[in-house]
Amino acid sequence: MASEKPILYSYFRSSCSWRVRTALALKGISYDQVPVNLIKDGGQQFSDEFKALNPMQQVPALKIDGIILSQSLAIINYLEETRPNPRLLPQDPKKRAQVRMIADHIVSGIQPLQNLSVLKQMGEKKMEWAQNCITSGFQALEQILQQTAGRYCVGDEVSMADLCLVPQVANAERFKVDMAPYPTITRINKALLELEAFKISHPSRQPDTPAELRA
């Protein structure tokens, strides 16, 4: 069972799926992808079939080593523990804590507030709400990164924090957030997007990317 190819249930534009796609790419893990369209048919994540895989009815879900995991950071941590090279968590405990802090800041403090399920409730205020959530989060993040960053979020090695940063910047751009006040975020994001793992995991290059959004 454990030798079977992992299967990632993903949506091209989902930032949580994007984090996991990047981790799989960085670690050189080949996998099959099953697209779950969050918009079509009222949202394919609500199907009974998908609910059996992930009761939270969210992507991503990863079938690997005979188990099914959901929640992007839980998946990334499992990959880190079972396939440690290249590492996505620094060996130094202080740096590792900083990586987790930045990742949590994004995945708990910014992204859920502007997620599809929340925006659906916001009606016409959708854009304004998303901009406010991202702006307040980025103000704090810029300040943190000024202390921790080297080439990337924490020093000069790509880490779990970077996997969270890139999709969040893409969300900010989608919601037309002015990025001028965040030079550190912008610089790190630009450096990361030059790396092959971030290119191949990009929403514009997925099997379920609509033709008009393809790179």
Side-chain angles (χ1 to χ4, degrees), residues 11-85:
Y11 177 55
F12 79 102
R13 197 180 250 162
S14 149
S15 46
C16 305
S17 300
W18 187 355
R19 294 169 198 151
V20 173
R21 292 195 301 258
T22 310
L24 290 163
L26 283 164
K27 288 180 177 289
I29 302 164
S30 74
Y31 62 97
D32 292 324
Q33 207 175 137
V34 176
V36 179
N37 193 314
L38 304 187
I39 312 292
K40 205 173 149 195
D41 310 327
Q44 294 173 347
Q45 71 276 31
F46 300 122
S47 70
D48 290 341
E49 189 188 359
F50 189 71
K51 193 179 175 184
L53 284 170
N54 182 10
M56 279 293 281
Q57 301 174 308
Q58 295 169 336
V59 291
L62 183 68
K63 208 182 250 188
I64 188 167
D65 301 338
I67 58 169
I68 297 163
L69 293 170
S70 60
Q71 297 300 336
S72 61
L73 293 195
I75 294 170
I76 293 165
N77 277 306
Y78 178 75
L79 295 175
E80 184 70 358
E81 286 161 12
T82 56
R83 296 149 175 87
N85 293 317

Side-chain angles (χ1 to χ4, degrees), residues 149-203:
R151 182 162 173 76
Y152 306 121
C153 283
V154 178
D156 297 325
E157 282 185 25
V158 174
S159 73
M160 185 164 74
D162 299 298
L163 273 52
C164 300
L165 182 80
V166 168
Q168 191 55 58
V169 174
N171 285 347
E173 288 167 349
R174 238 176 93 206
F175 293 119
K176 304 192 170 29
V177 171
D178 175 19
M179 291 299 292
Y182 318 116
T184 315
I185 293 175
T186 303
R187 173 182 68 73
I188 296 167
N189 184 64
K190 190 168 179 283
L192 289 163
L193 285 174
E194 286 167 10
L195 303 176
E196 187 60 22
F198 286 87
K199 287 180 186 174
I200 62 175
S201 58
H202 195 277

Side-chain angles (χ1 to χ4, degrees), residues 80-96:
E80 184 70 358
E81 286 161 12
T82 56
R83 296 149 175 87
N85 293 317
R87 63 169 178 257
L88 296 174
L89 287 169
Q91 281 175 316
D92 175 68
K94 289 176 184 169
K95 284 189 172 171
R96 196 180 313 161

Side-chain angles (χ1 to χ4, degrees), residues 127-137 177:
M127 195 71 147
E128 188 190 342
W129 171 266
Q131 285 173 346
N132 289 343
C133 294
I134 296 169
T135 299
S136 64
V177 171

